[in-house]
Amino acid sequence: MNQDKFNCKLQDRFARLDWHTIEPMGTPRGNDMIRTPRIRLQRKNEMLKSKLISFATSCEENEKLAIKAIRDRDEKLATSVIDGDREIDRVEIEIEEDCLEILALHQPVAMDLRFITGGFKIINQLERIGDLAVNIAETAVLLASEPPLQIPSDYFLMAERAENMLKNALDAFVNMDDALATEVLADDDEVDMMKHKLHRNFEERLGTEIERSRALIHLFLVSRHLERIADHSTNIAEDVIYMVTGAIVRHGHSSTK
């Protein structure tokens, strides 16, 4: 991974971070005994959000590197993505423990509670995106070991669309922007259609390039992994909408509890 590029992306995301979006609601101004624990909760939330942003940026970058490894037939780059998955798993557990600590010690309510429960869901989605990046990287290793295979440009176009969905979902989380999160939901259908188009291409080539069937199967699986990344990005966007508005968005329907 290009550490300078990663640090630049992380700094940019922090620069756009709007901390007031997670300020505890309804802080009593005239009661220091009540205000002090709420200030502690705010600080805990800020630390948690910082960790989530760093974790999200790592998962996002790994997916991009995995696609680059396929495009460039770069086995070394693909291997670095695979090796980095242990750190992603470690950080996921660390953030989950932070969430549990806040729930146990601070008993958050209202928007604070939605932030913590939504954070639980988001880290799970991000860890799965990290796993899918590893799957793509493993395909890159396999393809690099075989004779060059013609890869339709639609694979990389689909990757671009999925990456944009993930970026927008994460930006929506950074600034608690439910309008941007809603835009992510609308983009999912386009990625699904692209996967169907690649499936038809796969079936046609499988009938004429029998000797390359193993590589073609693994290549097609990349489109399924990208579709799943888009699905997880949609789930993150739904969680952001819940954090901000309290509305539960699932399966194209919205309800407010």
Side-chain angles (χ1 to χ4, degrees):
M1 178 185 297
N2 186 324
Q3 190 64 38
D4 290 339
K5 182 178 178 182
F6 172 78
N7 289 339
C8 182
K9 179 181 294 185
L10 191 59
Q11 289 169 7
D12 177 67
R13 196 155 265 158
F14 275 117
R16 290 180 286 112
L17 180 58
D18 188 359
W19 291 111
H20 85 273
T21 55
I22 58 171
E23 182 179 359
M25 302 170 62
T27 302
R29 299 300 178 185
N31 192 331
D32 289 339
M33 293 295 291
I34 296 177
R35 182 162 55 226
T36 299
R38 293 189 68 80
I39 290 174
R40 291 193 188 122
L41 173 58
Q42 181 182 358
R43 289 172 180 167
K44 286 285 188 180
N45 280 352
E46 290 173 354
M47 292 173 61
L48 175 62
K49 193 167 189 178
S50 294
K51 284 187 178 181
L52 273 166
I53 291 171
S54 181
F55 182 62
T57 303
S58 295
C59 295
E60 179 185 24
E61 187 66 13
N62 275 3
E63 185 273 337
K64 290 184 176 181
L65 292 175
I67 291 296
K68 187 177 188 300
I70 285 184
R71 180 188 288 111
D72 298 343
R73 293 175 55 82
D74 190 335
E75 183 176 353
K76 183 177 179 181
L77 180 60
T79 301
S80 73
V81 173
I82 296 168
D83 292 343
D85 191 53
R86 288 185 180 180
E87 177 63 12
I88 286 179
D89 291 342
R90 185 193 68 78
V91 176
E92 179 204 13
I93 294 172
E94 180 181 304
I95 296 175
E96 282 186 350
E97 291 174 347
D98 289 344
C99 289
L100 289 171
E101 178 183 329
I102 293 173
L103 287 172
L105 298 182
H106 298 278
Q107 299 179 350
V109 297
M111 189 173 184
D112 294 323
L113 180 59
R114 295 201 302 270
F115 175 74
I116 300 301
T117 56
F120 258 121
K121 296 177 181 179
I122 285 175
I123 57 175
N124 181 256
Q125 302 295 336
L126 289 169
E127 192 276 334
R128 291 179 181 179
I129 288 173
D131 287 343
L132 291 165
V134 169
N135 293 344
I136 294 172
E138 289 173 345
T139 295
V141 171
L142 182 144
L143 293 178
S145 68
E146 297 200 358
L149 180 72
Q150 181 184 1
I151 301 177
S153 60
D154 283 344
Y155 276 95
F156 303 113
L157 184 59
M158 184 180 181
E160 184 180 318
R161 294 289 188 275
E163 288 165 5
N164 191 58
M165 286 181 65
L166 178 57
K167 176 184 180 300
N168 286 340
L170 296 178
D171 286 348
F173 168 68
V174 166
N175 290 310
M176 294 290 112
D177 186 342
D178 58 309
L180 180 57
T182 301
E183 292 179 16
V184 174
L185 306 187
D187 292 337
D188 191 44
D189 288 342
E190 182 181 2
V191 173
D192 289 342
M193 287 189 292
M194 296 179 80
K195 199 267 285 193
H196 293 318
K197 180 180 178 181
L198 287 170
H199 184 256
R200 291 192 297 271
N201 174 271
F202 163 70
E203 290 180 328
E204 292 170 2
R205 294 183 68 181
L206 202 58
T208 59
E209 302 176 50
I210 300 176
E211 72 284 356
R212 304 305 309 274
S213 59
R214 179 169 177 261
L216 286 169
I217 290 171
H218 282 274
L219 178 61
F220 174 67
L221 288 176
V222 170
S223 70
R224 296 188 63 180
H225 299 325
L226 290 171
E227 181 191 32
R228 292 301 299 144
I229 288 172
D231 289 342
H232 290 306
S233 300
T234 298
N235 292 342
I236 291 172
E238 291 173 345
D239 292 331
V240 171
I241 293 172
Y242 169 72
M243 286 177 174
V244 177
T245 69
I248 299 174
V249 182
R250 286 291 185 273
H251 314 301
H253 301 286
S254 174
S255 63
T256 304
K257 297 291 184 181

